[in-house]
Amino acid sequence: MTVDRPIGNASSKREAEKIRRLVERALDNVGDPEMPAVSLSELGMVHEIRIVEADRSFRVEIDLLPTFVGCPALELMRREVERTVRPIPGVVQVEVRFVSHPRWTTDRIRPSARPKLEAYGIAPPPCLTVRSPAPAPDEAPPPNGAPAPAEATVAVGASVEWNPRCPYCGSEDTILENPFGPTSCRSIFYCRSCLNPFEAMKPLGVPVVLQRRP
Amino acid sequence: MERFASPEAIVNRPDARSALVELLFQLADDDLFVAHRASEWLGLAPHIEEDVAFSSIAQNTMGHALYWYTLLEPLTGKNADDLAYLRPREAYRQAILVERPNGPGLFYENPSYDWAYAVVRGLAYETFKRIRLEALASSSYVPLAEAALKMRDEQFYHLYHWETWWTELSQSTDEARRRLTEAARSVFHDLPTLWDLGPKAETIVRLGLGPSAEEIERKTLKALEAEFRRVALSFPPLGSPAFTGREGQHTDEGWAAIQMMGEVYRMAPEAAW
């Protein structure tokens, strides 16, 4: 979502619009510090960009959504976003805030990020459609453009077992080794087909249950 | 019920503000201690996969503590590090259960920690935490409600972890069952310290800042009873501890942990990290 504060005349409005596009493009190129294959935008972490006029130049305020509350990479991300946005001509100040509302869930990850994660060796989180008994006619649009094609549909209140596809061989014969991995947002699985361990992004805020070993 | 959308909406209301500060210190100090006790296990856990898991839980939980302290900043005028490390002993609000040491010894000197105690305390605390976070999602203090929802998603994995250990150990050997039973007796002695709301309980509940102790007690016991029934272990009696920690009374071991956590910070609070 992008919000521009009321800005004086037509030419500064055009200027602000230009800056907004440049900021968006810049953010598309800020990779996640732990998963550089995908950008913060693709992960759905950019909540709001505000362009505020200040003395014939512009201040940029960016609200980011942390994936995990205690993710130690947040400070790195803040610095990287500031470093990338500040050189944009006309920008005098960049302010990056982490906000907890709306909360980040794995539904916010853009469809374009999914094959990139897989190619990087990380299975993307399950993409589920929750089927409500009476779908609201005017549901809010998804936060990041078109939703990813759903892999499965679940009824409200129900859940499905998390069973990611192996990013190396594509098999679905995979077992959960450890819900915890090298970063907060990743778990470790084992592929019984190609016999490789692999990582998978933890589903957050979606109705899944974890495999229990027999 | 009145809702408080921001710190500004509550900071000039002395009764509401002091009750909220009390509640946030309970949340922050509980998570600080759970994270610290977990971090003391690093390198000592039963296997390397468990080191990965337990330290990851510790990191997430320390993140939750930091977030609660950050919510306290505009209400107290102090920064999160000072709030975590520079308060006097009687200003801490963690429950006695979470400040208990992991076992005899120190992590750097003859540790003789009890894994069964870690498992049962983990199960009990995370069960309680899930119920508390779910209730806090409808807190009248909006920033707290939003944080609770966010943490609940993450905490799902913490609870799953301890449920897995609980299930597997209880289905293994007689020794495992005996040690789980002994650990459960210790944990249940301190269990009621979790849901005590301290001296501002009445205001916390009346203003809808948080759920009542009775509600949390009832739901936590029901969930834990189901866990014990599932693995056919007998439900231990609850203790009646002389103090809960919520009133500011703490064990020497709890205070020693605070001293240790803040040791470096207190040397130079102005240092930039």
Side-chain angles (χ1 to χ4, degrees):
Chain A
M1 184 180 4
T2 305
V3 177
D4 297 330
R5 296 266 169 80
I7 282 171
N9 56 41
S11 79
S12 63
K13 223 175 225 165
R14 270 197 307 277
E15 182 66 14
E17 190 55 29
K18 197 174 105 194
I19 288 174
R20 186 179 59 78
R21 279 196 305 273
L22 291 170
V23 170
E24 282 173 357
R25 201 178 308 158
L27 291 176
D28 284 340
N29 292 314
V30 178
D32 180 286
E34 307 268 15
M35 299 180 288
V38 290
S39 71
L40 303 189
S41 315
E42 284 177 305
L43 285 173
M45 292 179 66
V46 180
H47 173 52
E48 195 169 289
I49 301 168
R50 292 179 299 272
I51 313 290
V52 186
E53 190 173 14
D55 284 340
R56 280 190 230 134
S57 44
F58 295 92
R59 190 173 79 236
V60 180
E61 299 172 355
I62 300 166
D63 286 354
L64 297 180
L65 307 176
T67 52
F68 276 68
V69 174
C71 173
L74 295 181
E75 218 26 64
L76 279 174
M77 293 181 198
R78 181 207 304 276
R79 264 183 265 160
E80 192 57 22
V81 168
E82 284 173 354
R83 203 184 59 81
T84 312
V85 172
R86 205 178 297 112
I88 294 174
V91 173
V92 285
Q93 200 191 341
V94 185
E95 195 186 319
V96 179
R97 293 194 312 167
F98 284 97
V99 297
S100 59
H101 183 79
R103 72 191 205 279
W104 184 87
T105 62
T106 40
D107 282 346
R108 298 185 63 93
I109 296 173
R110 284 185 193 163
S112 65
R114 301 173 66 82
K116 292 181 192 173
L117 283 167
E118 237 174 346
Y120 192 67
I122 299 175
C127 185
L128 306 172
T129 299
V130 178
R131 189 185 56 223
S132 56
D138 50 1
E139 267 178 11
N144 289 287
E151 294 165 328
T153 303
V154 285
V156 171
S159 49
V160 294
E161 191 169 84
W162 182 26
N163 186 30
R165 195 169 62 195
C166 171
Y168 302 119
C169 76
S171 167
E172 287 182 358
D173 189 9
T174 61
I175 48 169
L176 178 61
E177 276 285 303
N178 192 340
F180 299 94
T183 71
S184 294
C185 58
R186 278 133 76 179
S187 302
I188 301 169
F189 277 78
Y190 183 71
C191 176
R192 285 195 281 214
S193 178
C194 71
L195 311 184
N196 275 304
F198 67 91
E199 293 175 24
M201 258 190 102
K202 276 193 186 104
L204 266 200
V206 293
V208 295
V209 289
L210 305 189
Q211 300 168 355
R212 302 251 178 213
R213 291 198 205 163
Chain B
M1 180 91 64
E2 186 181 2
R3 275 164 72 80
F4 306 97
S6 65
E8 294 74 37
I10 204 165
V11 77
N12 294 320
R13 294 266 306 272
D15 59 330
R17 191 198 67 95
S18 66
L20 176 61
V21 165
E22 193 73 23
L23 175 62
L24 284 170
F25 272 129
Q26 294 174 16
L27 300 168
D29 294 344
D30 277 356
D31 279 342
L32 177 73
F33 262 86
V34 168
H36 177 71
R37 292 299 184 211
S39 72
E40 289 181 311
W41 267 103
L42 185 57
L44 303 170
H47 49 67
I48 193 158
E49 287 290 320
E50 181 55 31
D51 265 340
V52 171
F54 207 177
S55 58
S56 191
I57 292 173
Q59 187 182 58
N60 291 344
T61 306
M62 194 57 93
H64 296 181
L66 174 59
Y67 199 85
W68 298 128
Y69 289 123
T70 309
L71 290 186
L72 279 157
E73 288 181 340
L75 302 169
T76 59
K78 298 202 169 96
N79 78 47
D81 285 331
D82 288 0
L83 291 171
Y85 300 129
L86 300 185
R87 278 178 293 151
R89 179 168 174 159
E90 65 278 7
Y92 282 86
R93 290 293 180 265
Q94 71 280 2
I96 297 304
L97 177 65
V98 299
E99 71 179 49
R100 292 280 187 212
N102 294 319
L106 295 166
F107 67 87
Y108 55 87
E109 197 178 1
N110 304 319
S112 179
Y113 291 173
D114 181 13
W115 187 244
Y117 185 75
V119 169
V120 180
R121 177 161 65 172
L123 179 75
Y125 179 73
E126 299 297 354
T127 299
F128 158 78
K129 182 168 171 174
R130 185 198 66 203
I131 287 161
R132 181 163 70 171
L133 288 176
E134 279 175 359
L136 288 171
S138 48
S139 169
S140 58
Y141 188 57
V142 175
L144 199 171
E146 291 172 356
L149 264 182
K150 175 71 187 140
M151 290 178 199
R152 188 200 53 179
D153 289 346
E154 299 177 14
Q155 194 261 349
F156 164 82
Y157 292 94
H158 306 173
L159 180 56
Y160 167 90
H161 182 75
W162 296 119
E163 282 173 357
T164 303
W165 269 107
W166 171 251
T167 306
E168 297 206 355
L169 283 182
S170 66
Q171 291 168 359
S172 61
T173 63
D174 287 345
E175 187 198 347
R177 288 180 70 85
R178 177 178 56 74
R179 287 180 55 186
L180 286 177
T181 303
E182 280 169 20
R185 243 197 312 270
S186 308
V187 168
F188 273 59
H189 175 268
D190 296 331
L191 197 64
T193 66
L194 287 178
W195 44 75
D196 181 31
L197 283 175
K200 301 273 197 285
E202 188 272 329
T203 317
I204 290 171
V205 176
R206 179 167 46 81
L207 295 180
L209 296 169
S212 71
E214 294 72 27
E215 176 188 340
I216 299 299
E217 175 180 4
R218 179 172 43 81
K219 289 182 177 170
T220 304
L221 288 178
K222 189 172 168 224
L224 286 175
E225 267 168 9
E227 284 296 327
F228 278 75
R229 208 176 319 120
R230 190 164 59 78
V231 303
L233 282 173
S234 60
F235 201 62
L238 290 179
S240 34
F243 49 92
T244 66
R246 305 299 193 201
E247 69 290 85
Q249 285 202 64
H250 295 287
T251 61
D252 289 343
E253 292 91 345
W255 179 238
I258 295 278
Q259 296 291 100
M260 183 191 288
M261 279 187 254
E263 192 177 347
V264 175
Y265 183 67
R266 278 193 313 275
M267 283 178 192
E270 305 301 318
W273 294 90

